[in-house]
Amino acid sequence: MSTPPHDIVFLTSEIYPFSKSGGLADVMGILPLTLSRLGVRVAVFTPFYGRLSTGQYPVHLVYENCPVGYPWFDSTADIYMANYHGLPVYFIERGEYFDRRHYYCTHKGDYFDNCERFIFFCRAALCAIRHMGLGTRIVHAQDWHAALAVAYLAFWRRTDPFWAGMRTVMSIHNLAYQGRFSYRLFEQSGLPHEAWNMEGVEFYNSFNLLKAGVAFADRITTVSPSYAREIMTPEFGCGLEGILTRRKADLIGILNGADYAIWSPQHDPVLECTYSADQPEGKKECKAALLQSLNMRPELADRPVLGFIGRFRGQKGIDVILESIPEIMALDVGFIALGEGKAEYEAAMMNIMEEYPGRVVGVIGYTEEISHLIQAGTDIFLMPSRYEPCGLTQMYSLSYGTPPVATAVGGLRDTIIPYPQEGANGFVFNEPTRESLVQAVRQAVAVWDDKAAWKTLQINAMRANFSWEKSARRYMQVYAGLHADLFAQEGGAL
Ligand code: ADP
Ligand code: GLC
C-alpha cells in the first residue's frame, strides 16, 4: 500500500464497493486504482456514510479530531482509512452529516443540509491533506459535491504558501446536477465575497457549487469527448454553456472505461454459466435461468428479450420505453427492467407488468447481482437516454454480448458503432421519442431474426474494449500538464 506523498488526491461522494448510487461510484472504484497500478501516487477522500459497505476491506481510524476550520471553529472530523487493493481510501467521519440512511436524499427530497454537508466534506478533506502531511500536488474533484474544494484552493493558494503549488482538476460526470443553494449558504462557505459574481459561483442569484468548480479549476474534464462538445451548447449545457465555452481551452473529454474484472461474462461468479466471444454458448443458459427465476414464459427463450438497467429518471428515457411498450410487445418479445427512481415511473412499470404477465418484468430496486444477471440473460439492451455524459451500462451490455439500442448522444455516440456500419455492435437513433425507439427496436429485432448477422453483431460487441488504462494515461497527461515534473521519475510512463 502506498504511503504519502499522495501526489493526486481524488474527492468523491461515492466509490464502489464502499458506496454507490450510479456510475460515478464505478468510475471511482477503478480509475484511481488504475492510476496507482501505473505508478501514480494517488489517494481518495470520500464521506463515511452510515450505509458504507466496508465488507472485506476493514476501515480503521488514522487521524482523530482533524480541525476543519472556519466557519466551524470547533468542528473536527475523524479520518478513517481502508486499503483497497493498495489504494488508500480515506473516509471523512462526522456522524451528524453522514451517518444517515441515504447519501443525498430520501423519497421526500434532498436533505435540507446538503450544502453544509458537502462544504464540510471539502474543507475536511483539504484540512486532512494539510494536517496529515499527504504531500498532495493535485486535487481532483468529482461532480458538485467536491467542487468547492477547487474554489477554496483557488483563493487559499494566493495567500498561503502551503497551498501555493496546489493545482486542481474538476471532473463533470453529470452537468444536470449542480448543487444550487442560497446566498446565505455562500456566506457560510467561507469563500471570499469576490467569488460571488457571474464568472464565479453566482448563478442567477443562487450559489452554484458545480459552477464554482468550473470557474476556478485549472483543468475541467468530462467523461466522454462528445459530452465535452455538447455541454458547450444550450441544449446540453444546463445553463453553464457560457462559462464552459469560455473555458474551452481547459475542457477535456476523456472516455470512461469498463472494469472488466467485474463486468465480464468470462469470469462472472454470479452467472449460471460463463461465456466469451470465443465460446458464446453459455449466454443461452444465462437467459434460460433468468427467465425461470423471474417466472417469465419459457417460449421467450426463442424470442429476443430486451433489458433496461438504470435510474428511473427522465435522463434515462425510461418514460419513452414505458410509452413504447405496446408497440414493442407487438414484436413478440420480452422485456425486463431493473431500477428505481420517480414514483410515477415505478407505478407505470408495475401496471405494464400486470398487462403483460410473463412477458414484462420490472424489478424495482437495485442489486449488483441482478444487474449482472440481466446484462447476461437478455438479448438487447435499451438505453434511450435524453443525454448521457458517458454511460457505463451500455459498455457492460456490449461486454455481455447484449447489443445496445441507444440514442446517439454523449458517451453513447462514442462507444456504439451503429448497425449497418462496418464493425457494428449496436443500434442508435437520434431523438429520444417513442417513434424513434420503436423503429430502432424493430430494426434490432429484424437483425436478431437473421442468426448469422446477429452473431457478428454480438461478437463485435463482446470484442469492444474500453480500456481504463488508456483513459488513465489521458488523465496522467492532464496532471503532467499542471506539474511537468510529476511523472518524470517513471521514465516516460505517459
Ligand atoms: P448513471 O451513472 O447515469 O446512473 P451509468 O451507466 O454511468 O449511469 O452507470 C450506472 C451504474 O449504476 C451501473 O453500474 C449500473 O449497474 C448501476 N445502476 C443502475 N441503476 C442503479 C440504481 N437504481 N441504483 C444503483 N446503481 C444503479
Ligand atoms: C454520470 C452519468 C453517466 C456516467 C457516470 C460516470 O452518472 O450520468 O453517463 O457514465 O456519471 O461518469
Side-chain angles (χ1 to χ4, degrees):
M1 155 108 134
S2 73
T3 46
H6 302 319
D7 292 323
I8 317 290
V9 161
F10 282 76
L11 265 60
T12 177
S13 61
E14 296 179 24
I15 173 169
Y16 180 85
F18 303 98
S19 52
K20 168 164 170 173
S21 78
L24 168 65
D26 286 6
V27 173
M28 287 299 103
I30 181 70
L31 170 60
L33 200 58
T34 308
L35 286 165
S36 92
R37 287 175 182 154
L38 291 172
V40 182
R41 293 180 299 211
V42 54
V44 178
F45 274 85
T46 195
F48 196 133
Y49 297 113
R51 265 182 64 206
L52 208 62
S53 353
T54 51
Q56 51 185 326
Y57 307 98
V59 169
H60 57 273
L61 184 64
V62 289
Y63 198 89
E64 212 172 356
N65 292 326
C66 180
V68 169
Y70 176 90
W72 290 276
F73 288 107
D74 303 324
S75 230
T76 58
D78 289 339
I79 316 295
Y80 287 73
M81 192 187 69
N83 175 350
Y84 183 55
H85 303 285
L87 172 78
V89 180
Y90 293 100
F91 298 92
I92 305 280
E93 206 266 349
R94 180 88 196 185
E96 74 206 73
Y97 290 132
F98 302 121
D99 187 10
R100 302 187 185 177
R101 223 171 129 202
H102 303 276
Y103 305 139
Y104 318 116
C105 55
T106 67
H107 65 279
K108 289 188 192 144
D110 290 346
Y111 285 130
F112 74 98
D113 57 352
N114 270 350
C115 188
E116 231 176 297
R117 297 171 76 215
F118 288 101
I119 289 176
F120 183 86
F121 168 63
C122 292
R123 295 188 70 107
L126 296 180
C127 292
I129 287 173
R130 182 173 198 154
H131 292 285
M132 292 169 67
L134 300 189
T136 302
R137 304 185 66 200
I138 294 179
V139 164
H140 187 162
Q142 315 297 315
D143 275 350
W144 72 262
H145 318 88
L148 272 188
V150 164
Y152 288 130
L153 289 172
F155 291 99
W156 294 353
R157 71 188 180 191
R158 285 189 198 166
T159 52
D160 184 338
F162 178 83
W163 299 111
M166 186 68 83
R167 295 290 171 266
T168 56
V169 180
M170 177 74 237
S171 282
I172 300 169
H173 294 262
N174 194 335
L175 196 60
Y177 298 86
Q178 299 180 3
R180 287 177 60 179
F181 303 97
S182 66
Y183 178 72
R184 184 182 66 79
L185 289 157
F186 166 70
E187 286 189 309
Q188 287 182 17
S189 70
L191 282 171
H193 274 274
E194 65 178 283
W196 186 264
N197 65 67
M198 265 174 62
E199 292 306 314
V201 307
E202 193 247 310
F203 183 75
Y204 298 101
N205 225 20
S206 69
F207 177 31
N208 186 320
L209 271 51
L210 186 64
K211 189 175 177 213
V214 169
F216 293 110
D218 294 309
R219 296 287 186 275
I220 305 156
T221 71
T222 188
V223 288
S224 69
S226 287
Y227 194 57
R229 285 189 294 276
E230 288 169 354
I231 57 180
M232 288 186 279
T233 67
E235 192 185 350
F236 295 100
C238 302
L240 296 189
E241 60 276 8
I243 189 163
L244 284 161
T245 305
R246 288 193 288 284
R247 298 232 44 202
K248 188 176 178 182
D250 296 316
L251 171 62
I252 306 145
I254 302 178
L255 193 68
N256 284 333
D259 184 350
Y260 293 110
I262 298 177
W263 297 98
S264 165
Q266 207 171 343
H267 41 69
D268 187 331
V270 307
L271 301 190
E272 185 71 16
C273 184
T274 53
Y275 61 94
S276 65
D278 296 324
Q279 290 182 310
E281 301 74 29
K283 188 167 171 70
K284 275 203 189 91
E285 280 182 50
C286 294
K287 180 174 173 182
L290 180 67
L291 294 177
Q292 197 185 11
S293 71
L294 295 176
N295 277 327
M296 294 179 79
R297 292 192 189 163
E299 308 89 85
L300 282 172
D302 301 316
R303 292 298 301 157
V305 172
L306 283 45
F308 170 88
I309 300 173
R311 293 175 287 113
F312 281 19
R313 296 265 157 210
Q315 174 189 349
K316 301 290 172 185
I318 178 72
D319 52 319
V320 180
I321 297 181
L322 294 170
E323 262 180 53
S324 315
I325 285 293
E327 282 159 283
I328 290 179
M329 285 300 120
L331 301 171
D332 188 18
V333 299
F335 175 57
I336 304 171
L338 167 68
E340 62 192 336
K342 235 176 157 177
E344 74 175 270
Y345 299 149
E346 291 181 4
M349 186 69 234
M350 290 297 102
N351 288 337
I352 289 170
M353 194 167 154
E354 274 175 30
E355 262 176 60
Y356 299 93
R359 294 182 60 207
V360 173
V361 169
V363 182
I364 304 298
Y366 182 83
T367 72
E368 289 294 311
E369 182 172 342
I370 303 177
S371 182
H372 285 240
L373 296 175
I374 294 176
Q375 290 285 10
T378 51
D379 299 287
I380 296 170
F381 191 77
L382 300 186
M383 207 156 167
S385 303
R386 292 193 162 80
Y387 69 94
E388 199 57 76
C390 180
L392 298 172
T393 44
Q394 86 283 5
M395 294 190 193
Y396 305 155
S397 83
L398 288 165
S399 166
Y400 283 75
T402 309
V405 172
T407 22
V409 288
L412 298 172
R413 187 193 280 277
D414 296 343
T415 51
I416 300 170
I417 304 170
Y419 184 87
Q421 269 178 37
E422 180 65 30
N425 57 20
F427 302 83
V428 302
F429 53 96
N430 287 327
E431 294 300 321
T433 60
R434 179 176 59 81
E435 293 78 9
S436 307
L437 173 65
V438 170
Q439 198 185 351
V441 170
R442 271 204 196 104
Q443 186 186 33
V445 169
V447 180
W448 189 90
D449 283 331
D450 175 346
K451 295 295 170 232
W454 190 256
K455 194 164 180 200
T456 307
L457 196 80
Q458 248 184 340
I459 302 287
N460 289 343
M462 295 176 82
R463 296 232 160 103
N465 182 6
F466 303 102
S467 139
W468 262 116
E469 190 177 319
K470 191 171 154 205
S471 304
R473 286 190 193 280
R474 292 278 292 115
Y475 282 100
M476 286 170 73
Q477 287 169 344
V478 173
Y479 303 146
L482 296 173
H483 276 301
D485 61 324
L486 254 181
F487 309 118
Q489 70 274 38
E490 265 89 56
L494 297 179

